[in-house]
Amino acid sequence: MIRLKVDIKGYALGNTEAIISQDADDTSLFLDGSEKSFKECISTLEEFSKYSILKLNKDKTRIIVFGSPRPAEVHYLPEYQFQWDPESFKLLGVDFTTDLNDITDHNILMQMEVIKKEVRNWKKMNLNPFGRIAVIRSLIISKIVIS
């Protein structure tokens, strides 16, 4: 429905227009920044909700203005109380921050802490070498690959 609405304009990436990305239960929308696109998009999501069990989770919705070094001065549909320009947000398990130089280091350090905690928990178990290998392969490596 979103792709078919002529009043919803996406974010131009070269010759391609990005509008929507859906992974599992996460939806990311890439709009042109106009009030018209934003309002039409929210209206379309609400219309879709009428016919499905899926609803926009307003508490988890984050509005980020790309290319803006400072917080956006516009807040369309204030009655929805969306969170505009948060310092950070999580998308598909990756933390994004306003400091683009910090994203990689932040996520690697965070994942390293998770791995250390996992290793401490499993260190207490009396595992044979094959058990240790199984833990490393199934739990530890998966945390590195996801990152």
Side-chain angles (χ1 to χ4, degrees):
M1 288 174 65
I2 288 173
R3 287 188 181 109
L4 295 176
K5 298 276 184 159
V6 295
D7 287 336
I8 300 175
K9 305 290 184 208
Y11 191 79
L13 298 168
N15 294 332
T16 305
E17 182 183 47
I19 295 179
I20 187 169
S21 172
Q22 294 181 295
D23 298 290
D25 64 346
D26 286 334
T27 298
S28 297
L29 297 161
F30 305 94
L31 304 177
D32 67 352
S34 71
E35 184 174 8
K36 186 175 187 177
S37 285
F38 187 80
K39 286 182 174 180
E40 184 65 26
C41 188
I42 298 302
S43 173
T44 303
L45 291 171
E46 287 181 336
E47 182 181 343
F48 176 74
S49 292
K50 290 178 189 175
Y51 305 105
S52 72
I53 61 168
L54 304 173
K55 297 199 181 324
L56 176 66
N57 187 338
K58 296 171 188 166
D59 292 333
K60 290 177 69 178
T61 299
R62 305 290 181 263
I63 313 295
I64 293 87
V65 179
F66 288 103
S68 177
R70 58 183 175 22
E73 294 175 9
V74 295
H75 292 192
Y76 307 131
L77 301 173
E79 63 272 19
Y80 284 82
Q81 298 180 336
F82 292 131
Q83 185 177 349
W84 286 76
D85 288 319
E87 286 289 318
S88 66
F89 64 97
K90 187 171 272 204
L91 179 64
L92 299 174
V94 177
D95 278 341
F96 289 86
T97 64
T98 53
D99 182 2
L100 296 177
N101 297 318
D102 186 45
I103 292 173
T104 302
D105 290 342
H106 171 76
N107 281 284
I108 289 173
L109 291 174
M110 190 173 63
Q111 206 59 24
M112 288 302 295
E113 288 304 314
V114 170
I115 290 170
K116 286 177 186 177
K117 182 179 176 184
E118 210 52 68
V119 168
R120 281 193 299 271
N121 288 339
W122 282 97
K123 234 179 182 180
K124 298 172 188 172
M125 304 287 193
N126 189 17
L127 297 173
N128 64 29
F130 293 111
R132 290 174 189 249
I133 290 170
V135 167
I136 290 170
R137 290 178 74 185
S138 63
L139 296 174
I140 307 303
I141 291 178
S142 67
K143 297 205 180 328
I144 297 169
V145 173
I146 290 172
S147 299

